[in-house]
Amino acid sequence: MGAVFLSLDPTLFGVGVLLVTYAMALSRAALEHGQRYVNSFIDRKSSFLQQETISVLLRDFQNSASDWMWETDVDGKILSPSKRFCESADRSKEELGGVEFKSLVSLP
């Protein structure tokens, strides 16, 4: 690259300026892309840690709460009943798993 600038040919000098400009633009783009990658990685890690924290808090709440809690699928079948819900229904967690919630409630 130095030879391009040391030559007295104006055409080569112009090519040298273009090469330097291209190298600077390429370096800047690489740095910006690297920064975006690092930020994305940090955001994903932070999101994962937040999800874990929320999951732990919800499990703890479910295990210690005196409320009836359950999770159902799109068909209304019970997926994960709380301990208190199982005690009130007088059934085990395994017995309640897969049972439709509406079958537990009798309406007149």
Side-chain angles (χ1 to χ4, degrees):
M1 177 104 83
V4 171
F5 287 112
L6 291 177
S7 73
L8 299 175
D9 186 4
T11 305
L12 288 179
F13 184 78
V15 169
V17 170
L18 289 175
L19 284 173
V20 168
T21 305
Y22 176 72
M24 289 172 53
L26 189 62
S27 297
R28 181 178 171 100
L31 287 173
E32 286 178 6
H33 183 69
Q35 187 63 40
R36 276 192 229 128
Y37 177 78
V38 168
N39 289 341
S40 172
F41 180 78
I42 290 170
D43 289 344
R44 278 185 275 142
K45 187 69 172 175
S46 175
S47 174
F48 177 74
L49 291 174
Q50 288 174 354
Q51 288 174 352
E52 280 188 347
T53 302
I54 291 170
S55 178
V56 166
L57 290 172
L58 285 174
R59 265 195 310 274
D60 184 49
F61 178 75
Q62 184 177 8
N63 291 334
S64 64
S66 61
D67 297 332
W68 292 4
M69 295 178 57
W70 64 91
E71 180 181 351
T72 59
D73 62 9
V74 294
D75 298 322
K77 294 182 181 177
I78 297 173
L79 296 178
S80 58
S82 69
K83 182 179 176 183
R84 178 81 170 129
F85 184 70
C86 292
E87 290 170 357
S88 298
D90 199 28
R91 296 186 186 177
S92 70
K93 199 171 200 173
E94 291 76 27
E95 290 174 321
L96 284 175
V99 173
E100 285 189 19
F101 181 75
K102 66 181 179 180
S103 69
L104 297 174
V105 180
S106 61
L107 298 174

